[in-house]
Amino acid sequence: MPRLTIALAAGSVLAALGAGFALYGTGSTGGNSAGACAEAARKAPALASFARGEVAAMQISETPRPAPALAFKGPDGADLTLADLKGRTLLVNLWATWCAPCKAEMPALDRLQAEMGGPDFAVVAINLETRNLDKPPLWLRENGISNLAYYGDPAGRVLPALQKETGSVGLPTTLLIDARGCTIGVLKGPAEWAGADAKRLIGAALGRAAS
């Protein structure tokens, strides 16, 4: 009888484990991840119609997924992740001072933050330089970029993670992430972020009209 009891208990455990694998799978991009971004997926077709003109290169995902777990430094130098910024729609831009197109679009990103930034939206521009770390913030000050908080990745972790996630191999690269932390769009290359097309796109992502 003891052996029978043990066998039945073991069978119950195996059955429970099997049910768990059937429901959830073993990968991080399975049903649970898709479910977390189900609302973003429903909004994707309407949002895609706003990816036009100066932001036509924005690729709106038909199947949004949780944003990559990017780790970087915040304005105060403390460790930060994208998950820490969850709750607002984010335009996450990767840039460097050795990237001419990046520098060219920074004033527009600064204006976008000034005009549309607030409790529900922020531009998060992450500098990727790992040397001469005083140079990027100095460049921002010298060029009148005053509305963007400074984020940096001196450890060089962000770009490899984003390359793996999006396939982007160059800079600038920009992610549009909703308030639930789902990547809803990727733009590879520069854009006129202070233009009317960009503001309409951001306004649509927020569910409000652009100012």
Side-chain angles (χ1 to χ4, degrees):
M1 289 298 293
R3 291 182 178 178
L4 178 59
T5 301
I6 292 172
L8 289 173
S12 299
V13 171
L14 289 173
L17 288 173
F21 285 124
L23 284 171
Y24 300 110
T26 58
S28 61
T29 59
N32 282 351
S33 296
C37 297
E39 182 178 350
R42 287 194 295 270
K43 294 179 179 179
L47 187 60
S49 67
F50 289 89
R52 61 177 184 262
E54 295 173 329
V55 288
M58 175 66 75
Q59 302 169 358
I60 302 298
S61 176
E62 296 180 358
T63 55
R65 303 195 314 173
L70 304 182
F72 46 94
K73 296 289 185 179
D76 59 357
D79 292 331
L80 199 64
T81 68
L82 281 184
D84 295 324
L85 303 177
K86 194 173 179 180
R88 288 191 289 180
T89 295
L90 304 175
L91 190 71
V92 179
N93 175 269
L94 306 187
W95 73 284
T97 59
W98 41 259
C99 165
C102 299
K103 293 190 292 184
E105 71 176 0
M106 292 303 290
L109 287 166
D110 194 55
R111 291 196 298 274
L112 179 64
Q113 173 64 26
E115 295 177 25
M116 297 193 71
D120 57 352
F121 172 70
V123 177
V124 179
I126 305 175
N127 180 269
L128 302 184
E129 289 165 69
T130 58
R131 299 179 180 180
N132 301 319
L133 299 182
D134 58 336
K135 183 178 179 180
L138 177 61
W139 183 88
L140 293 175
R141 290 194 298 270
E142 290 178 343
N143 288 273
I145 310 299
S146 59
N147 298 296
L148 297 177
Y150 183 74
Y151 300 92
D153 178 34
R157 297 172 293 182
V158 168
L159 187 57
L162 198 68
Q163 287 174 336
K164 181 178 179 181
E165 180 74 14
T166 68
S168 179
V169 295
L171 295 180
T173 295
T174 306
L175 301 181
L176 183 58
I177 299 172
D178 72 7
R180 294 175 181 263
C182 299
T183 300
I184 53 180
V186 179
L187 194 153
K188 303 172 184 179
E192 177 46 67
W193 292 111
D197 293 323
K199 292 176 185 176
R200 279 191 287 266
L201 173 65
I202 300 301
L206 293 168
R208 60 179 169 90
S211 58

